[in-house]
Every structure is written in structure tokens, then in C-alpha cells.
């Protein structure tokens, strides 16, 4: 007897042993999915490997094999195991998260009425039991249990169901659910033997035979394009054994087409690009782990370096993954990839493509037929064969962080994956994450730089407007949105027939208090993050350590009394633009206006065709895309990102401002950028104004060192939620106690610090109360051990706890 170790999608790290029946023995290999009996159900499991004889005698046999070929290699499994351990996410769930979904099989429980009721039954069903019978009666006597639950609006039917079952009035059975993804197969028609010269055939049959003789075995879809009434012709020929019909699997691609042909223009790298590429090529040749930061100002031609690096990688027989921060950018990038690699099959993986296509592409990648993968964060999991190169474009971008289920950061995962595969990894950015740049200084990553814009276009001129100087002259009720300078600049730009971009931070919903006289912003003395205003309770509060005070009516700095909360949304901004400039064509781009398919592209196209004068938008407008006629960029409030309750607020602001500013002046006309703020002296703004990353880094790294924030420590953010406020508070106190007990020595020696618990910035979401608890420490091994223990004990506190390891942001 042979046994296998199987992981299943359950919230536990436990794996299970199953036996393989003789008939399936040869086709069970690691990386395939199997259908297994699990409790009363049948579910999908992942084969991890063979195991030696088990000492248990109740081992069950697997039911079936669900994949014709394995979905991952053995070295991929090593990587998956690392992911599972590092992010404290069970292996079975990790595999479920990573592998293309849809062909998972699971049985469902069905409930049916038993029609032949035995005579002389003397007990009657209760009213709730009777309702179950009524619903079944109305539905032809049979329903899946899940639907029955829904129809009755009740979660727990267990007791009634088993009572009815005992009475013999209903029966339960397990039925397999239909998988969401199937293999697509097509009929292939082939000539079996030459018909004799004198064989009697219709004209059409003869033509078809002639076609097959010329083209060889052909799919039925091809024949349909040439002949009419194909099925009956084929049946006739098949009966006479002149043709054979077989089935072959068809590959479904990503269905994205290149939009614009780039043409065969000769690509000549400039000096900086060329020396960066030389370093990367050395890395590729070295066959060792080679991480590097490609630090290039906006518009310096990083994509050209990526493309050349991929070409070198392919020339060396390797495969490559290229991650981009925004799904909407993939068609644009695809065009350039197709133009450069016309003979390469390129896969696109992100959440927007169909399950079937994802499944097909995945298998092509694993088999090595597809060597280049582009995609959003989840593309990092693609099982690329002989992986030699990973590119993370805009590596500092927060979209690489997944905020649910497995809370990973694709940039960090890319580093780990490259290490396992001894590959080269390029982290590209104009504004590298502080942590990434710190690693180049420590010598962990190589540093490659593109300090100039292509064609030596100047960087745009950045001006900062002090909003404290602006008086609300017009309407006292409406919020102060535009400074005089920005208003005039918009008017001038439109008069010249050029375009305007107005940017507002999406995360602007954290209301903060600012003194409109001196610009003072309330920050926590313990944590150096902004205090958040809670209008309902009239308090300001720290979301790290829970410090809170009543909102003061007087400014502690200038003793003025104009302390106001600040916040305006994109919709309001659009309204204001329409009110001030009634003849101007305005469009808005944010998650609301782009949720429909194709909406994003429509706005971009309208902008390109110059049907929009002013585009109002969030982060979405800051990425990619060259618009030569955008000459003015306005940042409505730098303060909204400066005051998010996160120790990375300054870093995020500097990155955003640089990114937004980089949108201006891409064409011949020079760009102008206007930033409005109540804090014109903040170093993040001053350094963004002078395009001075290193200056910003110098300031920021000193602050981080002083507060012992990353990179000088590691942080774990425990997100705790509960549907009951009091039980949640009790549970989180108990959790803190557990941490204190478990790491008594580490805390005493200063190796671990607990901050909080505090209410989460969004205190209540989907009916659940939320808190956060920060654990700071230098030794990642101690931290990980601690988190593991907390998560294991989570069930004793009855809490829903999720751990964010080195979180990018704290939403
Ligand atoms: Zn003040
Ligand atoms: Zn604090």
C-alpha cells in the first residue's frame, strides 16, 4: 500500500494521510489535487508527497485525482511552505489562495423528503420542523442544505434536521458540486487511411478528405470555417473509417490584446540605462541571488531597462515575472511586451481575468511553454520554470500588500522567491521604500540609478501654497478647497489649451485637526503619528497606543482658536471645479467611477483625445501613462496623507507627491506642480519640491531611528475583531497578558515592546468591532514564535486575530 500526505483548505496546519488504491497508483504525484473523503464530506486536497507506512489503521483511500498534471514543482512547494510559515497562514489555505481556483471539488449535502411515510406515526413535527417540510414540498421535495438554510433565513438547522431524519421524514445525501472550471476540449479530425481511388463519395466528403490531406489533423472549428454542415459529413466519413475523431485540450489565453503597435523602432539605451543593464546582466550570469534597486527619477526610462533585462534573461534560457502595481496598466505594458517579444507567449495574471484562463495559463507557465508573466501582486506565485528574473515595478507601492486572508507583501515575497531560485530581482522606483534604500546602504541590495529623465526633459517646477494665508472670502459655508494661486493656474492652463490634473488622496477619510492659523497638527507624543478626530465623541485619539484627549478649543502652539477638522472628497472637489469653471470639461477618476469594466480605459482615452480639460482623481491617476498636454498638476491637500495615522505617513506623502508631480511635463511644454498644505515647512514637502530623495531619506531615517520604527525594528500588527464590544475588549486584554507572560524575559531585556491595544482607525466594520495591537522587536525569530503562539491560543480568547508582519500600512 502506498500513502500520501495531503493538505486541505482548513484553518489548521495539520496535514492528513491517505491511501492510494492500486488503480490510481501511477498517476498520483505531488502537486496534483485529489478528491478525498473528509468527515462526512468529500473535498479537494493537495498532494504534498509520499509518506512511509502509517501506524494508523483507519487510513481512508482517496476517491479520485483532479489534475492530469501537477500544478506545482517540488521547489515551488518549498516556497509555499515558507510563505505559510512566514505569514502564519495554514499550508492548505496558502495553497488554496495561490493555486488557480475553480476546479476545486466539494460535496454538498442535499435534503430530500421521504415520500412513503410509515403508517401509524404518532408524533408531529414542531412548527420550525414543519417549515422545513413546507419549503421542501414547494421545491419538488429536494434541496441543497445551503439553499434550505437561506430560504428559511436560519443558520442552524442541525437539530430540526436530525430530528426529522430520525422520524424518517427526510433523508440526507452527499452530492458532488459542479466545478467552476473545466478543461476545454476540442474535436480533432484526422485522416485514418487514404480512401481507394474508386471510393464513392459526395463532393463535400471528397473536398474534406482533400483538405485533411493538405493540412493534416484539424480542429473541427477550423473545418467549420471552410465547410458547411460539417458534423454530418464527419459522421458519414467516420462510419466508413476514413477519418478518426479525437479530443485535444484547448488553451484559453488571457484575452487581452495589444492596443497600439509600437512599431519596430530601434531601441538605443542611454548611458545610465546601459550601465544599469550591464549590472543586471552580470547578475543573470552569476546564477546567484542578485537583488538590486533600480532607482530612477520619474520619466527616466525604467521600463526600457526592464524589457532589455527580460530579453537577456530569455536569451539565457530563463523565465521572468514582471509585477506592476495597477491592473489597469497591464494592457499598456502588454503592448510594449508584444512589440518587443513577438514570438514569446506572455501570460497575464491578476484578479480580473477569468478562472478558466487563469487555470490554463498557470499550466502553460508550469510546463515552460510560457516564459514571461506580467501581473499584479498574485502573479508572484506563478510557477515559472527556470525562473531567473523578477521585476517589481514601483516597489514602494501599497497595492503590493494584500490586506485580507494571507496578508503578504508581493515585494517581500519576490525577494524571498528570488533567493530560493537564485535569481535576479529588480526593485524599480523613483521613490524607493525607506527600507529598500536602507538595504542598499547596508550592502544587501545593489544600487543602480537612472538620475536623468529621457531626452533630458526637465523635472517639473513644484510650488507650495501655504493654506493658512488663504482667507475664505467667497462662501463661508463651503470648505476651503482652492487657493488663489491654484485657481489662477487652472484658468491660465485651460486658456492655453492644455490639461490639468487635480489630485486628492484616497485615504483622506481620516479626519485630523489642524490649526488654521499656525498649521499645528495634533500628534501623539508616544508614537509620533497624527491623532485622529472623532467627531461623535469630540475627542482626538492615537490609533497606536490609544492615547486620547478632548478636542482642545485653543491651539497649544499659537493660542489661536481656529482649530478645524479637515477633509474633502473627490466628488466634492469635482463639484467645486464645475462651480468655479462652468465651461470646463471635467472628469473624475476614483474607485467609484472606474468600478465598471472598461471605465478606466474610457477616461484615459478621453484624456488622450483631449476631450477632458480637468481630471480630478485619486492615486489611480498617479501611475503610468504619459500625457504630453498635462502641464499643470494640483495637489489639493498634502495634509491628508501627511496625517494618516501611520508611522509611514511622511514616506507615503513624499512618494505620492513625487509620483503626482512626475505626471506633469512629460511633453515639450514644461510642467508646473502646485501643492496646497497647512504645513509648508514639513520636510516631506520641501524635499519633494526639490526632487531630493536622498535629502528626504536622511531626515526620515533619523526619525525612524529615534522612534525605533522599521528598518530599526520589526513590527507585527495584530488586528483583533469581535462582534461583541465587551467580549472583544476582554479578549484583547487577555491576549496582551498572554504576550506578557510568553515574552517576559524579552520584554524585560527590551527585545520586545507592546504598543496598545488601541481602537483601529476604522473602529467598526461590517458589524465587527476592531482593535489593533503592535508588537515591536528586533529579533524576527522571537517575534514570529510569539505570533505563532498567540494565533494558536486565539481560540481560547474567542477572538478573530490576524497578524500583519511588517505591515505596509495600517488600514
Ligand atoms: Zn495654532
Ligand atoms: Zn500613541
Amino acid at each position: 500500500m502506498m500513502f500520501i500526505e495531503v493538505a486541505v483548505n482548513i484553518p489548521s496546519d495539520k496535514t492528513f494521510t491517505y491511501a492510494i488504491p492500486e488503480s490510481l497508483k501511477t498517476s498520483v504525484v505531488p502537486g496534483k489535487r485529489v478528491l478525498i473523503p473528509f468527515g462526512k464530506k468529500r473535498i479537494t486536497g493537495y498532494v504534498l508527497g509520499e509518506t512511509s507506512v502509517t501506524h494508523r489503521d483507519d487510513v481512508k483511500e482517496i476517491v479520485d485525482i483532479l489534475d492530469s498534471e501537477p500544478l506545482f514543482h517540488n521547489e515551488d512547494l518549498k516556497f509555499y511552505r515558507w510563505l505559510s510559515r512566514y505569514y502564519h497562514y495554514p499550508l492548505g489555505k496558502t495553497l488554496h489562495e495561490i493555486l488557480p481556483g475553480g476546479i476545486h471539488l466539494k460535496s454538498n449535502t442535499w435534503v430530500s423528503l421521504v415520500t412513503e411515510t410509515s403508517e401509524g406515526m404518532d408524533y408531529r413535527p414542531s412548527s420550525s420542523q414543519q417549515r422545513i417540510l413546507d419549503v421542501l414540498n414547494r421545491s419538488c421535495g429536494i434541496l441543497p442544505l445551503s439553499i434550505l438554510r437561506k430560504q428559511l433565513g436560519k443558520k442552524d438547522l442541525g437539530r430540526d434536521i436530525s430530528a426529522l431524519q430520525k422520524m424518517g421524514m427526510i433523508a440526507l445525501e452527499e452530492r458532488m458540486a459542479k466545478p467552476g472550471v473545466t478543461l476545454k476540449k476540442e474535436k480533432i479530425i484526422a485522416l485514418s487511411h487514404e480512401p481507394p481511388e474508386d471510393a464513392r463519395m459526395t463532393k463535400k466528403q471528397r473536398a474534406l478528405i482533400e483538405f485533411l490531406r493538405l493540412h493534416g489533423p484539424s480542429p473541427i472549428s477550423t473545418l467549420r470555417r471552410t465547410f458547411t454542415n460539417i458534423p454530418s459529413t464527419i459522421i458519414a466519413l467516420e462510419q466508413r473509417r476514413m477519418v478518426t475523431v479525437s479530443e485535444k485540450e484547448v488553451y484559453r489565453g488571457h484575452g487581452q490584446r495589444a492596443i497600439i503597435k509600437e512599431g519596430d523602432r530601434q531601441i538605443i539605451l542611454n548611458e545610465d540605462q546601459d550601465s544599469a543593464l550591464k549590472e543586471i546582466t552580470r547578475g543573470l550570469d552569476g546564477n546567484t541571488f542578485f537583488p538590486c534597486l533600480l532607482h530612477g527619477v520619474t520619466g527616466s526610462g525604467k521600463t526600457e531597462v526592464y524589457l532589455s533585462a527580460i530579453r537577456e534573461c530569455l536569451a539565457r534560457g530563463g523565465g521572468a515575472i514582471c509585477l506592476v502595481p495597477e491592473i489597469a496598466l497591464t494592457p499598456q505594458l502588454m503592448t510594449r511586451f508584444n512589440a518587443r517579444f513577438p514570438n514569446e507567449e506572455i501570460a497575464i495574471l491578476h484578479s480580473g481575468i477569468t478562472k478558466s484562463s487563469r487555470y490554463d495559463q498557470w499550466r502553460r507557465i508550469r510546463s515552460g511553454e510560457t516564459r514571461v508573466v506580467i501581473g499584479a501582486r498574485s502573479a508572484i506565485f506563478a510557477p515559472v520554470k527556470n525562473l531567473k528574473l523578477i521585476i517589481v515595478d514601483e516597489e514602494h507601492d501599497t497595492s503590493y500588500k494584500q490586506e485580507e486572508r494571507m496578508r503578504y507583501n508581493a515585494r517581500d515575497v519576490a525577494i524571498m522567491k528570488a533567493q530560493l531560485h537564485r535569481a535576479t530581482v529588480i526593485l524599480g522606483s523613483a521613490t524607493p521604500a525607506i527600507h529598500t534604500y536602507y538595504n542598499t546602504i547596508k550592502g544587501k541590495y545593489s544600487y543602480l540609478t537612472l538620475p536623468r529623465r529621457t531626452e533630458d526633459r526637465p523635472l517639473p517646477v513644484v510650488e507650495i501654497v501655504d493654506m493658512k494665508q488663504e482667507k475664505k472670502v467667497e462662501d463661508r459655508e463651503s470648505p476651503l478647497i482652492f487657493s488663489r494661486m491654484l485657481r489662477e493656474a487652472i484658468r491660465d492652463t485651460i486658456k492655453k489649451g492644455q490639461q490639468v490634473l487635480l489630485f486628492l488622496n484616497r485615504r483622506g477619510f481620516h479626519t485630523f485637526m489642524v490649526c488654521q492659523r499656525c498649521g499645528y497638527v495634533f500628534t501623539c507624543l508616544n508614537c509620533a503619528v497624527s491623532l485622529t478626530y472623532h467627531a461623535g465623541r469630540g475627542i482626538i485619539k492615537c490609533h497606536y497606543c490609544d492615547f486620547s484627549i478632548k478636542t482642545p478649543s485653543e491651539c497649544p502652539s499659537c493660542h489661536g482658536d481656529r482649530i478645524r477638522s479637515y477633509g474633502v472628497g473627490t466628488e466634492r472637489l469635482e463639484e467645486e471645479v464645475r462651480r468655479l469653471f462652468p465651461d470646463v470639461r471635467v472628469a473624475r477618476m476614483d474607485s467609484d467611477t472606474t468600478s465598471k469594466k472598461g471605465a478606466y480605459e474610457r477616461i484615459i482615452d478621453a484624456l488622450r483625445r483631449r476631450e477632458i480639460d480637468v481630471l480630478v482623481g485619486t492615486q489611480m491617476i498617479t501611475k503610468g501613462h504619459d500625457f504630453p498636454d498635462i502641464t499643470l498638476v494640483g495637489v489639493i491637500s498634502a495634509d491628508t496623507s501627511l496625517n494618516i495615522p501611520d508611522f509611514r505617513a511622511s514616506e507615503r506623502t513624499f512618494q505620492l507627491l513625487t509620483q503626482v508631480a512626475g505626471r506633469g511635463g512629460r511633453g515639450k511644454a514644461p510642467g508646473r506642480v502646485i501643492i496646497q498644505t497647512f504645513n509648508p515647512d514639513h520636510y516631506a514637502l520641501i524635499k519633494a519640491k526639490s526632487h531630493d530623495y536622498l535629502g528626504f531619506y536622511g531626515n526620515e531615517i533619523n526619525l525612524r531611528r529615534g522612534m525605533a520604527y522599521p528598518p530599526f525594528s520589526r513590527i507585527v500588527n495584530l488586528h483583533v475583531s469581535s462582534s461583541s464590544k465587551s467580549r472583544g475588549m476582554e479578549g484583547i486584554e487577555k491576549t496582551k497578558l498572554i504576550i506578557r507572560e510568553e515574552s517576559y524575559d524579552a520584554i524585560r531585556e527590551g527585545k520586545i515592546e507592546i504598543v496598545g491595544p488601541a481602537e483601529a482607525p476604522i473602529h467598526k466594520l461590517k458589524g465587527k468591532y476592531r482593535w489593533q495591537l503592535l508588537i515591536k522587536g528586533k529579533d524576527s525569530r522571537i517575534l514570529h514564535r510569539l505570533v505563532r503562539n498567540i494565533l494558536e491560543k486565539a481560540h481560547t480568547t474567542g477572538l478573530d486575530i490576524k497578524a500583519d508582519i511588517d505591515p505596509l500600512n495600517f488600514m
Side-chain angles (χ1 to χ4, degrees):
M1 202 64 175
M2 193 176 130
F3 301 100
I4 48 169
E5 188 195 3
V6 174
V8 292
N9 179 21
I10 52 165
S12 156
D13 267 324
K14 220 176 144 210
T15 57
F16 301 86
T17 306
Y18 282 86
I20 304 169
E22 201 60 37
S23 58
L24 298 174
K25 212 164 183 173
T26 48
S27 33
V28 174
V29 292
K32 281 189 184 179
R33 281 177 276 220
V34 284
L35 188 64
I36 47 170
F38 194 79
K40 280 183 189 165
K41 300 215 166 250
R42 289 176 166 193
I43 60 170
T44 299
Y46 308 90
V47 181
L48 302 177
E50 264 184 55
T51 68
S52 45
V53 186
T54 159
H55 55 273
R56 298 179 52 151
D57 48 8
D58 57 345
V59 173
K60 288 181 187 156
E61 285 192 350
I62 65 165
V63 180
D64 202 358
I65 303 169
L66 298 176
D67 293 302
S68 53
E69 22 182 334
L71 290 171
F72 51 85
H73 305 282
N74 261 333
E75 66 258 38
D76 294 316
L77 184 59
K78 239 189 261 170
F79 169 55
Y80 302 154
R81 282 190 196 272
W82 173 82
L83 278 171
S84 159
R85 269 198 312 274
Y86 188 82
Y87 289 110
H88 302 280
Y89 201 64
L91 184 61
K93 280 193 155 312
T94 301
L95 292 170
H96 183 76
E97 170 87 31
I98 287 171
L99 299 176
I103 55 171
H104 294 269
L105 289 180
K106 214 176 100 185
S107 64
N108 286 335
T109 308
W110 286 66
V111 186
S112 57
L113 281 177
V114 176
T115 37
E116 63 276 16
T117 36
S118 39
E119 292 288 316
M121 255 203 344
D122 52 357
Y123 40 70
R124 285 173 39 185
S126 71
S127 63
S128 61
Q129 290 163 357
Q130 188 57 50
R131 270 201 296 278
I132 293 177
L133 298 176
D134 291 345
V135 171
L136 283 171
N137 253 322
R138 280 202 302 272
S139 318
C140 308
I142 184 159
L143 270 181
L145 184 56
S146 54
I147 307 256
L148 191 64
R149 272 200 205 109
K150 233 179 251 163
Q151 295 219 346
L152 288 161
K154 258 173 103 177
K155 264 219 165 107
D156 188 24
L157 296 178
R159 201 177 293 167
D160 286 338
I161 292 278
S162 63
L164 286 169
Q165 202 181 0
K166 268 192 206 130
M167 289 181 229
M169 301 178 93
I170 59 168
L172 298 183
E173 68 175 307
E174 290 293 313
R175 287 191 185 180
M176 293 311 295
K178 230 169 127 190
V181 163
T182 49
L183 296 180
K184 191 176 173 187
K185 288 186 176 159
E186 192 170 39
K187 286 201 168 108
I188 305 288
I189 318 300
L191 208 55
S192 50
H193 59 80
E194 284 288 325
E197 279 298 316
D198 55 347
R200 289 179 51 154
M201 281 187 281
T202 65
K203 224 181 189 173
K204 197 182 277 170
Q205 288 171 346
R206 206 175 284 281
L208 190 83
I209 296 280
E210 190 55 36
F211 185 94
L212 292 175
R213 197 180 284 140
L214 254 167
H215 297 275
S218 306
I220 195 160
S221 58
T222 312
L223 298 178
R224 275 213 179 94
R225 260 175 262 140
T226 321
F227 304 96
T228 53
N229 214 5
I230 269 296
S232 59
T233 316
I234 289 171
I235 290 169
L237 288 173
E238 200 186 4
Q239 276 168 355
R240 293 170 70 184
R241 307 224 169 129
M242 289 182 183
V243 300
T244 55
V245 179
S246 59
E247 279 198 328
K248 194 180 158 230
E249 202 192 314
V250 191
Y251 165 56
R252 288 157 292 194
H254 42 71
Q256 280 197 15
R257 301 225 167 276
I259 310 166
I260 326 142
K261 266 267 167 282
E262 214 185 38
D264 298 322
R265 73 183 161 96
Q266 187 83 29
I267 309 291
I268 301 161
L269 298 183
N270 66 29
E271 211 179 298
D272 301 325
Q273 289 171 325
D274 192 56
S275 62
L277 180 65
K278 282 211 176 88
E279 277 295 303
I280 293 163
T281 313
R282 266 205 351 204
L284 289 170
D285 281 333
N287 274 325
T288 50
F289 172 51
F290 182 74
C292 61
L293 166 64
L294 180 64
H295 185 188
V297 296
T298 53
S300 60
K302 285 189 288 288
T303 311
E304 277 311 325
V305 176
Y306 300 156
L307 286 166
S308 304
I310 292 173
R311 189 192 61 215
E312 298 300 325
C313 164
L314 292 172
R316 286 160 178 74
I321 297 175
C322 180
L323 300 184
V324 289
E326 178 75 56
I327 298 172
L329 293 177
T330 49
Q332 187 196 5
L333 200 63
M334 191 64 189
T335 305
R336 293 185 75 168
F337 273 69
N338 276 334
R340 187 63 73 84
F341 309 109
N343 302 320
E344 234 12 84
E345 195 174 276
I346 294 161
I348 294 186
L349 290 177
H350 57 67
S351 54
I353 58 170
T354 67
K355 278 182 178 176
S356 305
S357 148
R358 194 171 141 75
Y359 179 62
D360 283 6
Q361 290 196 75
W362 182 277
R363 288 176 309 135
R364 301 277 283 195
I365 295 164
R366 200 206 66 91
S367 69
E369 279 161 290
T370 304
R371 297 192 292 168
V372 181
V373 178
I374 310 176
R377 59 174 178 245
S378 63
I380 193 60
F381 303 123
V384 172
K385 222 173 168 182
N386 196 17
L387 181 69
K388 269 183 178 294
L389 177 67
I390 305 175
I391 296 162
V392 186
D393 186 29
E394 308 294 352
E395 61 90 25
H396 63 274
D397 201 282
T398 47
S399 68
Y400 287 125
K401 177 75 200 310
Q402 174 153 300
E403 301 284 353
E404 59 208 353
R405 304 186 303 277
M406 186 165 73
R407 308 174 81 95
Y408 67 95
N409 182 326
R411 187 254 330 265
D412 300 343
V413 173
I415 295 286
M416 190 57 207
K417 188 165 187 175
Q419 204 163 0
L420 280 172
H421 288 260
R422 296 194 298 174
T424 294
V425 55
I426 307 173
L427 306 180
S429 177
T431 51
I434 292 291
H435 212 138
T436 303
Y437 192 81
Y438 179 77
N439 279 339
T440 67
I441 288 183
K442 287 277 148 192
K444 285 188 179 170
Y445 301 166
S446 293
Y447 182 68
L448 315 175
T449 172
L450 306 176
R452 275 165 296 186
R453 281 189 144 186
T454 49
E455 296 167 34
D456 280 321
R457 282 192 195 117
L459 285 160
V461 178
V462 180
E463 293 154 273
I464 296 176
V465 182
D466 184 353
M467 293 302 274
K468 296 192 299 286
Q469 309 298 331
E470 299 294 320
K471 295 264 178 325
K472 288 206 293 179
V473 271
E474 292 177 32
D475 184 359
R476 295 207 127 251
E477 290 304 304
S478 73
L480 180 55
I481 298 181
F482 288 107
S483 60
R484 281 156 298 170
M485 189 201 268
L486 183 53
R487 215 180 310 171
E488 270 151 39
I490 294 173
R491 198 163 286 140
D492 285 353
T493 309
I494 292 167
K495 211 181 276 169
K496 278 189 255 168
Q498 294 162 346
Q499 293 171 306
V500 180
L501 209 63
L502 294 177
F503 169 75
L504 192 67
N505 187 21
R506 172 170 62 95
R507 300 254 162 88
F509 53 79
H510 298 289
T511 335
F512 57 95
M513 300 299 282
V514 59
C515 169
Q516 301 208 339
R517 184 151 162 244
C518 75
Y520 180 85
V521 173
F522 294 87
T523 45
C524 176
L525 294 176
N526 305 322
C527 314
V529 300
S530 292
L531 299 174
T532 303
Y533 175 54
H534 291 254
R537 284 177 281 173
I539 55 164
I540 43 177
K541 190 166 190 159
C542 173
H543 286 290
Y544 277 10
C545 72
D546 219 27
F547 167 80
S548 81
I549 46 168
K550 239 182 121 230
T551 314
S553 52
E554 190 188 282
C555 170
S557 173
C558 74
H559 304 291
D561 59 356
R562 276 170 55 207
I563 296 175
R564 301 275 183 279
S565 64
Y566 188 84
V568 55
T570 39
E571 238 180 296
R572 181 75 191 79
L573 175 59
E574 185 191 5
E575 253 175 57
E576 187 71 1
V577 176
R578 287 188 199 281
R579 194 177 69 81
L580 289 175
F581 309 98
D583 305 326
V584 160
R585 295 167 298 176
V586 190
R588 172 161 61 97
M589 180 181 267
D590 54 24
S591 48
D592 293 336
T593 63
T594 55
S595 56
K596 280 216 183 89
K597 213 180 167 197
Y600 176 86
E601 287 76 13
R602 267 199 296 284
I603 298 176
I604 292 292
D605 281 345
L607 197 65
R608 188 170 284 130
R609 286 198 303 267
R610 309 199 37 196
E611 292 162 9
I612 295 172
D613 300 314
V614 178
L615 180 63
V616 168
T618 56
Q619 262 86 328
M620 225 176 254
I621 64 176
T622 68
K623 292 166 189 171
H625 300 295
D626 283 356
F627 295 107
D629 289 316
I630 292 179
T631 54
L632 174 66
V633 176
V635 176
I636 300 304
S637 165
D639 305 293
T640 45
S641 68
L642 217 42
N643 293 301
I644 48 174
D646 183 338
F647 74 90
R648 285 181 172 94
S650 301
E651 179 181 355
R652 292 292 303 134
T653 304
F654 179 81
Q655 286 163 347
L656 270 175
L657 293 180
T658 307
Q659 203 88 39
V660 182
R663 293 302 104 206
R666 291 280 181 132
K668 298 227 165 54
R672 187 179 177 196
V673 180
I674 295 176
I675 299 172
Q676 304 190 136
T677 178
F678 283 102
N679 284 281
D681 300 325
H682 195 284
Y683 64 96
L685 272 56
I686 300 210
K687 301 301 180 188
K689 176 183 158 80
S690 50
H691 308 282
D692 180 9
Y693 177 81
L694 293 189
F696 170 75
Y697 176 83
N699 265 321
E700 182 67 18
I701 201 80
N702 283 331
L703 275 172
R704 298 274 179 96
R705 194 180 283 121
M707 298 296 299
Y709 279 132
F712 300 99
S713 68
R714 294 179 148 248
I715 281 190
V716 175
N717 191 355
L718 294 179
H719 302 264
V720 180
S721 58
S722 168
S723 44
S724 148
K725 195 168 183 177
S726 58
R727 251 185 296 134
M729 302 233 286
E730 227 170 82
I732 198 158
E733 285 306 327
K734 204 163 151 195
T735 306
K736 192 172 175 178
L737 219 65
I738 294 174
I739 302 174
R740 280 227 181 99
E741 274 166 17
E742 295 233 347
S743 40
Y744 180 77
D745 289 332
I747 291 172
R748 212 187 41 190
E749 291 160 22
K751 285 182 183 157
I752 290 244
E753 190 191 333
I754 310 170
V755 184
E759 282 185 352
I762 304 167
H763 180 44
K764 201 176 171 190
L765 192 70
K766 292 176 188 160
K768 282 198 163 180
Y769 295 90
R770 306 157 83 231
W771 295 267
Q772 57 185 18
L773 183 65
L774 263 53
I775 312 173
K776 252 198 234 177
K778 281 202 167 61
D779 188 331
S780 83
R781 229 176 314 157
I782 296 181
L783 267 183
H784 274 281
R785 203 184 313 134
L786 184 57
V787 171
R788 182 163 308 261
N789 288 343
I790 296 165
L791 293 179
E792 267 169 20
K793 285 185 182 153
H795 59 268
T796 68
T797 52
L799 288 181
D800 180 8
I801 302 185
K802 294 191 177 77
D804 242 327
I805 314 294
D806 287 340
L808 247 188
N809 46 42
F810 295 88
M811 291 305 296

